[in-house]
Amino acid sequence: MTTIHDHLGRQLVVQPGPQRIISLCPAITETLLELGSKSVVGRTKYCIFPQEIVEDIAVVGGTKTIDEAAIHALNPTLIIAEKEENTKEIVETLAAHYPVFVCQVETVDDAYRLIETLGTLASVQQAAVALIDEIQKTFAQLPTLSGNAAYIMWRKPYMAVGKTTYITSLLEMLGFTNPITKLDGRYPAVTIEDLQQAKLDYVLLSSEPFPFSEKHRAEFEPYLANAKIIFVDGEMFWYGARMLKAAHYFNTIQQAFN
């Protein structure tokens, strides 16, 4: 048996060799499968990428509620969770039976660490190193953007991405400043007045988890005359394997910021 530590510093003992992995986070599932891992035996109902592969993998509940019987039936040797996506209660419940590796992603650098970690846990290290290298090279080729940008992810109430989040780190890497980080919380509720005080150049309305669309433009535009309203694909702000697709996506939409 091998003793390892997860991203929270928790110690767990795992068996050497190939694992039977249950992933409880969509970005983790997608990354493992994109790396070519054949070890994933269970996933959540929200793990929908890559579509042609996940269809053959058993569902064990959601990210906040799990089907314990389904998990036990799969006899996993390793469960991979994520601090933000999954609850402490889920981790503690499953840790009584299985090694549970908890990942934490709050920055772009954390996202690279995640890919490296998954490569190690699933014995696909070479693929992980290659993916990280390709992502970094592609991001390095992007033009640097600038301006104050708020990323709005929810409606009624409006919620924006704040401090210590991967999305803010990604925005900063692209060259933006996120003034919402001055507010309390990682995903603070915001008012139109908050957005006005932020002196925004851009309001990014995400396609998920709330599906903002053109019909919502009128909720912002009259009150933020100096800000450009841009609709963005929220899935391109996921960490992990999706980062490579995101780099290409940002390259195609850069003209929207001019």
Side-chain angles (χ1 to χ4, degrees):
M1 305 297 279
T2 303
T3 300
I4 60 175
H5 292 83
D6 68 9
H7 291 172
L8 304 186
R10 297 168 56 257
Q11 181 174 296
L12 51 152
V13 178
V14 298
Q15 68 177 32
Q19 303 293 328
R20 290 179 55 81
I21 296 173
I22 289 178
S23 168
L24 300 180
C25 170
I28 288 174
T29 302
E30 179 180 27
T31 301
L32 285 167
L33 298 178
E34 291 286 359
L35 290 175
S37 173
K38 306 297 184 185
S39 303
V40 183
V41 297
R43 62 176 173 100
T44 76
K45 61 183 178 182
Y46 302 112
C47 299
I48 58 175
F49 300 113
Q51 191 170 20
E52 66 279 7
I53 302 178
V54 295
E55 292 174 348
D56 296 325
I57 297 175
V59 173
V60 297
T63 54
K64 308 301 182 188
T65 57
I66 55 171
D67 182 338
E68 290 186 57
I71 289 174
H72 293 322
L74 291 171
N75 193 28
T77 60
L78 178 64
I79 296 175
I80 305 179
E82 203 280 327
K83 183 183 177 184
E84 181 177 291
E85 289 285 338
N86 309 119
T87 67
K88 183 179 179 182
E89 291 72 24
I90 284 177
V91 171
E92 290 176 344
T93 296
L94 295 177
H97 305 279
Y98 312 102
V100 180
F101 191 106
V102 181
C103 300
Q104 183 175 28
V105 180
E106 295 183 346
T107 67
V108 172
D109 284 343
D110 286 346
Y112 293 135
R113 176 183 67 167
L114 172 78
I115 296 171
E116 182 179 22
T117 296
L118 296 179
T120 299
L121 294 175
S123 300
V124 283
Q125 293 96 326
Q126 270 191 313
V129 170
L131 178 59
I132 292 170
D133 184 61
E134 191 173 2
I135 292 170
Q136 291 176 330
K137 285 179 179 177
T138 307
F139 270 128
Q141 294 169 4
L142 292 176
T144 300
L145 301 170
S146 63
N148 286 344
Y151 185 102
I152 312 298
M153 54 177 287
W154 196 253
R155 181 173 179 265
K156 292 186 178 182
Y158 296 127
M159 293 178 68
V161 169
K163 55 192 172 186
T164 65
T165 60
Y166 167 74
I167 293 177
T168 286
S169 179
L170 179 59
L171 290 173
E172 292 173 346
M173 187 193 74
L174 294 171
F176 296 112
T177 298
N178 180 7
I180 303 302
T181 57
K182 296 177 183 177
L183 302 179
D184 291 334
R186 301 180 70 224
Y187 300 100
V190 295
T191 63
I192 291 295
E193 290 74 21
D194 290 327
L195 299 178
Q196 289 174 322
Q197 292 172 13
K199 298 180 179 179
L200 296 170
D201 298 294
Y202 306 102
V203 177
L204 309 183
L205 299 182
S206 178
S207 63
E208 61 94 38
F210 181 84
F212 283 103
S213 62
E214 187 64 35
K215 67 182 180 182
H216 298 107
R217 181 183 295 276
E219 297 180 18
F220 298 89
E221 212 162 43
Y223 309 102
L224 300 167
N226 296 321
K228 196 167 187 179
I229 312 296
I230 299 174
F231 296 93
V232 295
D233 183 346
E235 291 177 359
M236 293 299 108
F237 289 81
W238 291 10
Y239 49 78
R242 186 57 58 107
M243 294 168 74
L244 184 57
K245 296 175 184 175
H248 294 297
Y249 170 75
F250 296 135
N251 192 52
T252 62
I253 69 165
Q254 61 173 301
Q255 64 270 16
F257 296 95
N258 297 326

